[in-house]
Amino acid sequence: MSRRAFRWLVLGAVIVFYAVPMLSMARFAFQRVPVVLLTWDTLFSRWTIEPLVEAVTSREFRRSAFATVRIALLTASVTLFVLMPVLVRARLAGRRLRRVVELSAIIPFVVPAIALVVGVSGIYREWTPWLLRSEYSLVPLYFVTALPFAYRTLDNGLAAIDLRTLLEAAQSLGQRHSGAVVRVILPNMWASVSTTFFLVCTVVLGEFTIASLLLKNTLPLYLAYAQGQDPQGAFGIGLLLTVVSAVFLAVSARVSGRLVGTGVVR
Amino acid sequence: MSPPRAAGSPIGWARRFVALWRPSLVAYAVLLGAFLIVPAGVVVLRGFDGGAGERSPMLEAVSGQYLGSFWYSIRLSALTAALGSIIGTGVAAVLVDLPEGSRSRQAMVGYSVVAANMGGIPLAFAFLSAFGVQGLVTKLLGTAGFDLIGNGFRITNFGGIALVYMYFQIPLMTLVMIPAFVGLRRQWRDAVSSLGGTRADYVRRVVLPVVTPSYVGGLLLLFANAFAAYATAFALSAGASRLVPVQIRFFLQGDTITGKTNLGYAMAAWMIIVMVAIIVVVRMLAARTEKWQ
């Protein structure tokens, strides 16, 4: 076999492997024909988006969707508000603080979500149960979960600009400190800021382990629940969620020009 | 606080700027401490802390049926990491051979980003509808005369979960390897041939040494990726899986077996230990890789 043919064989096989599960999910979600009755004749009959429409208009879906959006927006904002100043500070303050921050930002990698939940509920169930009762208890946990990716994206953004000169220039033009960050630094690293925002949202949109063990009603949990009640609608929403995260990731990859990965949703 | 303009070395100004942002540093430390470091510390401490007259939970967690769980998780992670790294590297090699602006290359890299981040419930749904008992592929193979289910394949058992994991392992490896391949300079190939080397010499003496650290790093990353995974397997098997994280869940939900109080903590502590070991090696390898990029 020629090299060229071999190349396309590899690509073709992988493309089929990537495409088939997604197409199957789409068929299951949007075609009202059970697999048993599926033949070449019925392949194109009774396609409908009704199950998805019914599912997304249900009260349970809306409740968990709103909860997820609230948590996602809050987590993304907390991430930017807390992390940006820390990273600016770390860049200005010299090597030691930078190393500490860099190291601290990769710790979440070594604590799997399940281990994190075990520890968190071990502490807070005993001492401050009210803390875990609120749905917003997910916010700090998701901040921690998304930290390595947020850190990497924002730090790369900061590395690409001449922070010290920009701050000096802003100051000599009469800007105050916080104003300098908001009016000068942020616009200069808009790509990494928005990438961070979308990455954090993607994490929240897909995270299942922590939400499920703390019994928080987010979208992935709704999916798991709806799988038993209304499988067709649930699969439709699963597909929708996949598409939304794909768009977020594509936007992130495009604006930042980098290959991004989170890998925390499984 | 308004800064005295005249006191103006940039360093001094920067220092004052930094002081103003101290609250965020405190917030960062508190968040990280309260929701990551202390919980992880508690997991490890309680893992070592057995009740009176009990065997150390850390030892208990790696014996008997619990050892079986660890083997199951490790086998699954090792298998999917090995296969995923080989196939993913192959895909990366094919992709970097295509011209950089080509549509198929961009589309494949773009989809790899998406697929590498996929997992959890939606991915489980996708594979259930393709390879489940009522799946489309199962049906298609059946029509072609191959009985997938009759041959013992279940999307919920070892082979099935491994197949599902390949969906994110392959693209993740592709993403890891593309920069490594792109880092190979055209001039190096020319240098080898101008020194009288063959293509095989180029691969053996240049490509392998430069690419190997990335490959090993990626392999370990894939292992860690599968090892820490929980949601996908849970969704596939409705919690019946033998994977370590699914086992830990039992303890967390209060199904504590008497006399094994801290076993859940110990299993979680072992997971952290494995992850730390992997990440340390990955970081060391990354330091070596950066030389070439």
Side-chain angles (χ1 to χ4, degrees), chain B residues 205-225:
Chain B
R205 301 263 177 93
V206 178
V207 176
L208 281 182
V210 172
V211 165
T212 303
S214 293
Y215 178 82
V216 179
L219 184 73
L220 290 171
L221 211 62
L222 261 57
F223 183 93
N225 195 27

PDB file of all heavy atoms in Angstrom, chain B residues 205-225:
ATOM      1  N   ARG B 205      17.718   8.796  14.477  1.00  0.00           N
ATOM      2  CA  ARG B 205      18.657   9.652  15.206  1.00  0.00           C
ATOM      3  C   ARG B 205      18.092  11.015  15.565  1.00  0.00           C
ATOM      4  O   ARG B 205      18.607  11.689  16.437  1.00  0.00           O
ATOM      5  CB  ARG B 205      19.918   9.868  14.359  1.00  0.00           C
ATOM      6  CG  ARG B 205      20.649   8.601  13.995  1.00  0.00           C
ATOM      7  CD  ARG B 205      21.785   8.365  14.959  1.00  0.00           C
ATOM      8  NE  ARG B 205      22.465   7.108  14.691  1.00  0.00           N
ATOM      9  CZ  ARG B 205      23.534   7.020  13.919  1.00  0.00           C
ATOM     10  NH1 ARG B 205      24.013   8.092  13.332  1.00  0.00           N
ATOM     11  NH2 ARG B 205      24.126   5.861  13.741  1.00  0.00           N
ATOM     12  N   VAL B 206      17.070  11.461  14.829  1.00  0.00           N
ATOM     13  CA  VAL B 206      16.548  12.801  15.099  1.00  0.00           C
ATOM     14  C   VAL B 206      15.112  12.749  15.629  1.00  0.00           C
ATOM     15  O   VAL B 206      14.825  13.238  16.720  1.00  0.00           O
ATOM     16  CB  VAL B 206      16.608  13.694  13.842  1.00  0.00           C
ATOM     17  CG1 VAL B 206      16.013  15.068  14.133  1.00  0.00           C
ATOM     18  CG2 VAL B 206      18.042  13.824  13.361  1.00  0.00           C
ATOM     19  N   VAL B 207      14.230  12.120  14.848  1.00  0.00           N
ATOM     20  CA  VAL B 207      12.814  12.162  15.223  1.00  0.00           C
ATOM     21  C   VAL B 207      12.576  11.491  16.570  1.00  0.00           C
ATOM     22  O   VAL B 207      11.988  12.089  17.483  1.00  0.00           O
ATOM     23  CB  VAL B 207      11.940  11.495  14.137  1.00  0.00           C
ATOM     24  CG1 VAL B 207      10.490  11.468  14.577  1.00  0.00           C
ATOM     25  CG2 VAL B 207      12.073  12.242  12.820  1.00  0.00           C
ATOM     26  N   LEU B 208      13.068  10.252  16.716  1.00  0.00           N
ATOM     27  CA  LEU B 208      12.784   9.518  17.949  1.00  0.00           C
ATOM     28  C   LEU B 208      13.281  10.240  19.202  1.00  0.00           C
ATOM     29  O   LEU B 208      12.509  10.439  20.144  1.00  0.00           O
ATOM     30  CB  LEU B 208      13.348   8.097  17.866  1.00  0.00           C
ATOM     31  CG  LEU B 208      12.485   7.118  17.059  1.00  0.00           C
ATOM     32  CD1 LEU B 208      13.092   5.727  17.070  1.00  0.00           C
ATOM     33  CD2 LEU B 208      11.061   7.085  17.577  1.00  0.00           C
ATOM     34  N   PRO B 209      14.557  10.675  19.229  1.00  0.00           N
ATOM     35  CA  PRO B 209      15.009  11.357  20.454  1.00  0.00           C
ATOM     36  C   PRO B 209      14.215  12.615  20.776  1.00  0.00           C
ATOM     37  O   PRO B 209      13.963  12.913  21.937  1.00  0.00           O
ATOM     38  CB  PRO B 209      16.469  11.704  20.153  1.00  0.00           C
ATOM     39  CG  PRO B 209      16.879  10.821  19.055  1.00  0.00           C
ATOM     40  CD  PRO B 209      15.654  10.510  18.264  1.00  0.00           C
ATOM     41  N   VAL B 210      13.812  13.340  19.737  1.00  0.00           N
ATOM     42  CA  VAL B 210      13.107  14.592  19.994  1.00  0.00           C
ATOM     43  C   VAL B 210      11.666  14.343  20.426  1.00  0.00           C
ATOM     44  O   VAL B 210      11.124  15.028  21.288  1.00  0.00           O
ATOM     45  CB  VAL B 210      13.136  15.493  18.732  1.00  0.00           C
ATOM     46  CG1 VAL B 210      12.250  16.714  18.917  1.00  0.00           C
ATOM     47  CG2 VAL B 210      14.558  15.933  18.448  1.00  0.00           C
ATOM     48  N   VAL B 211      11.048  13.310  19.830  1.00  0.00           N
ATOM     49  CA  VAL B 211       9.621  13.091  20.041  1.00  0.00           C
ATOM     50  C   VAL B 211       9.334  12.209  21.258  1.00  0.00           C
ATOM     51  O   VAL B 211       8.280  12.332  21.878  1.00  0.00           O
ATOM     52  CB  VAL B 211       9.009  12.494  18.746  1.00  0.00           C
ATOM     53  CG1 VAL B 211       7.653  11.903  18.998  1.00  0.00           C
ATOM     54  CG2 VAL B 211       8.927  13.563  17.668  1.00  0.00           C
ATOM     55  N   THR B 212      10.298  11.353  21.627  1.00  0.00           N
ATOM     56  CA  THR B 212      10.032  10.387  22.700  1.00  0.00           C
ATOM     57  C   THR B 212       9.572  11.017  24.024  1.00  0.00           C
ATOM     58  O   THR B 212       8.590  10.540  24.598  1.00  0.00           O
ATOM     59  CB  THR B 212      11.268   9.493  22.937  1.00  0.00           C
ATOM     60  OG1 THR B 212      11.594   8.867  21.698  1.00  0.00           O
ATOM     61  CG2 THR B 212      10.986   8.430  23.975  1.00  0.00           C
ATOM     62  N   PRO B 213      10.223  12.072  24.522  1.00  0.00           N
ATOM     63  CA  PRO B 213       9.715  12.640  25.786  1.00  0.00           C
ATOM     64  C   PRO B 213       8.255  13.069  25.686  1.00  0.00           C
ATOM     65  O   PRO B 213       7.478  12.823  26.610  1.00  0.00           O
ATOM     66  CB  PRO B 213      10.619  13.852  26.023  1.00  0.00           C
ATOM     67  CG  PRO B 213      11.837  13.582  25.237  1.00  0.00           C
ATOM     68  CD  PRO B 213      11.420  12.782  24.061  1.00  0.00           C
ATOM     69  N   SER B 214       7.859  13.673  24.563  1.00  0.00           N
ATOM     70  CA  SER B 214       6.459  14.053  24.389  1.00  0.00           C
ATOM     71  C   SER B 214       5.568  12.824  24.416  1.00  0.00           C
ATOM     72  O   SER B 214       4.493  12.836  25.016  1.00  0.00           O
ATOM     73  CB  SER B 214       6.245  14.764  23.053  1.00  0.00           C
ATOM     74  OG  SER B 214       6.903  15.986  23.049  1.00  0.00           O
ATOM     75  N   TYR B 215       6.035  11.759  23.752  1.00  0.00           N
ATOM     76  CA  TYR B 215       5.219  10.555  23.684  1.00  0.00           C
ATOM     77  C   TYR B 215       5.009   9.972  25.077  1.00  0.00           C
ATOM     78  O   TYR B 215       3.886   9.673  25.475  1.00  0.00           O
ATOM     79  CB  TYR B 215       5.865   9.511  22.769  1.00  0.00           C
ATOM     80  CG  TYR B 215       5.060   8.242  22.734  1.00  0.00           C
ATOM     81  CD1 TYR B 215       3.942   8.129  21.910  1.00  0.00           C
ATOM     82  CD2 TYR B 215       5.378   7.169  23.563  1.00  0.00           C
ATOM     83  CE1 TYR B 215       3.173   6.992  21.914  1.00  0.00           C
ATOM     84  CE2 TYR B 215       4.610   6.022  23.574  1.00  0.00           C
ATOM     85  CZ  TYR B 215       3.518   5.938  22.737  1.00  0.00           C
ATOM     86  OH  TYR B 215       2.738   4.809  22.754  1.00  0.00           O
ATOM     87  N   VAL B 216       6.097   9.839  25.834  1.00  0.00           N
ATOM     88  CA  VAL B 216       5.977   9.254  27.169  1.00  0.00           C
ATOM     89  C   VAL B 216       5.122  10.144  28.065  1.00  0.00           C
ATOM     90  O   VAL B 216       4.264   9.675  28.809  1.00  0.00           O
ATOM     91  CB  VAL B 216       7.367   9.011  27.790  1.00  0.00           C
ATOM     92  CG1 VAL B 216       7.239   8.434  29.180  1.00  0.00           C
ATOM     93  CG2 VAL B 216       8.176   8.079  26.911  1.00  0.00           C
ATOM     94  N   GLY B 217       5.346  11.455  27.946  1.00  0.00           N
ATOM     95  CA  GLY B 217       4.518  12.388  28.708  1.00  0.00           C
ATOM     96  C   GLY B 217       3.049  12.227  28.371  1.00  0.00           C
ATOM     97  O   GLY B 217       2.197  12.179  29.257  1.00  0.00           O
ATOM     98  N   GLY B 218       2.751  12.124  27.074  1.00  0.00           N
ATOM     99  CA  GLY B 218       1.371  11.943  26.641  1.00  0.00           C
ATOM    100  C   GLY B 218       0.784  10.645  27.144  1.00  0.00           C
ATOM    101  O   GLY B 218      -0.359  10.592  27.597  1.00  0.00           O
ATOM    102  N   LEU B 219       1.585   9.583  27.086  1.00  0.00           N
ATOM    103  CA  LEU B 219       1.145   8.272  27.562  1.00  0.00           C
ATOM    104  C   LEU B 219       0.714   8.345  29.026  1.00  0.00           C
ATOM    105  O   LEU B 219      -0.354   7.865  29.416  1.00  0.00           O
ATOM    106  CB  LEU B 219       2.285   7.268  27.394  1.00  0.00           C
ATOM    107  CG  LEU B 219       2.010   5.808  27.739  1.00  0.00           C
ATOM    108  CD1 LEU B 219       1.141   5.174  26.677  1.00  0.00           C
ATOM    109  CD2 LEU B 219       3.318   5.040  27.869  1.00  0.00           C
ATOM    110  N   LEU B 220       1.546   9.009  29.835  1.00  0.00           N
ATOM    111  CA  LEU B 220       1.230   9.137  31.259  1.00  0.00           C
ATOM    112  C   LEU B 220      -0.006  10.009  31.480  1.00  0.00           C
ATOM    113  O   LEU B 220      -0.842   9.731  32.335  1.00  0.00           O
ATOM    114  CB  LEU B 220       2.422   9.726  32.011  1.00  0.00           C
ATOM    115  CG  LEU B 220       3.616   8.783  32.127  1.00  0.00           C
ATOM    116  CD1 LEU B 220       4.830   9.514  32.676  1.00  0.00           C
ATOM    117  CD2 LEU B 220       3.277   7.603  33.016  1.00  0.00           C
ATOM    118  N   LEU B 221      -0.091  11.061  30.675  1.00  0.00           N
ATOM    119  CA  LEU B 221      -1.246  11.947  30.769  1.00  0.00           C
ATOM    120  C   LEU B 221      -2.537  11.183  30.478  1.00  0.00           C
ATOM    121  O   LEU B 221      -3.550  11.341  31.170  1.00  0.00           O
ATOM    122  CB  LEU B 221      -1.076  13.075  29.752  1.00  0.00           C
ATOM    123  CG  LEU B 221      -1.679  14.419  30.109  1.00  0.00           C
ATOM    124  CD1 LEU B 221      -1.043  14.967  31.361  1.00  0.00           C
ATOM    125  CD2 LEU B 221      -1.494  15.384  28.954  1.00  0.00           C
ATOM    126  N   LEU B 222      -2.480  10.321  29.465  1.00  0.00           N
ATOM    127  CA  LEU B 222      -3.644   9.520  29.115  1.00  0.00           C
ATOM    128  C   LEU B 222      -3.999   8.559  30.241  1.00  0.00           C
ATOM    129  O   LEU B 222      -5.170   8.343  30.559  1.00  0.00           O
ATOM    130  CB  LEU B 222      -3.381   8.730  27.820  1.00  0.00           C
ATOM    131  CG  LEU B 222      -3.957   9.322  26.536  1.00  0.00           C
ATOM    132  CD1 LEU B 222      -3.460  10.729  26.318  1.00  0.00           C
ATOM    133  CD2 LEU B 222      -3.617   8.450  25.350  1.00  0.00           C
ATOM    134  N   PHE B 223      -2.958   7.987  30.848  1.00  0.00           N
ATOM    135  CA  PHE B 223      -3.201   7.068  31.960  1.00  0.00           C
ATOM    136  C   PHE B 223      -3.918   7.812  33.084  1.00  0.00           C
ATOM    137  O   PHE B 223      -4.957   7.359  33.591  1.00  0.00           O
ATOM    138  CB  PHE B 223      -1.879   6.481  32.463  1.00  0.00           C
ATOM    139  CG  PHE B 223      -2.056   5.466  33.557  1.00  0.00           C
ATOM    140  CD1 PHE B 223      -2.154   4.118  33.258  1.00  0.00           C
ATOM    141  CD2 PHE B 223      -2.143   5.863  34.883  1.00  0.00           C
ATOM    142  CE1 PHE B 223      -2.339   3.184  34.267  1.00  0.00           C
ATOM    143  CE2 PHE B 223      -2.329   4.941  35.892  1.00  0.00           C
ATOM    144  CZ  PHE B 223      -2.429   3.595  35.585  1.00  0.00           C
ATOM    145  N   ALA B 224      -3.375   8.980  33.450  1.00  0.00           N
ATOM    146  CA  ALA B 224      -3.980   9.767  34.527  1.00  0.00           C
ATOM    147  C   ALA B 224      -5.408  10.154  34.172  1.00  0.00           C
ATOM    148  O   ALA B 224      -6.314  10.098  35.009  1.00  0.00           O
ATOM    149  CB  ALA B 224      -3.149  11.020  34.792  1.00  0.00           C
ATOM    150  N   ASN B 225      -5.587  10.509  32.921  1.00  0.00           N
ATOM    151  CA  ASN B 225      -6.891  10.916  32.406  1.00  0.00           C
ATOM    152  C   ASN B 225      -7.938   9.826  32.616  1.00  0.00           C
ATOM    153  O   ASN B 225      -9.044  10.071  33.092  1.00  0.00           O
ATOM    154  CB  ASN B 225      -6.717  11.212  30.914  1.00  0.00           C
ATOM    155  CG  ASN B 225      -7.865  11.983  30.337  1.00  0.00           C
ATOM    156  OD1 ASN B 225      -8.526  12.718  31.060  1.00  0.00           O
ATOM    157  ND2 ASN B 225      -8.111  11.819  29.062  1.00  0.00           N
TER     158      ASN B 225
END
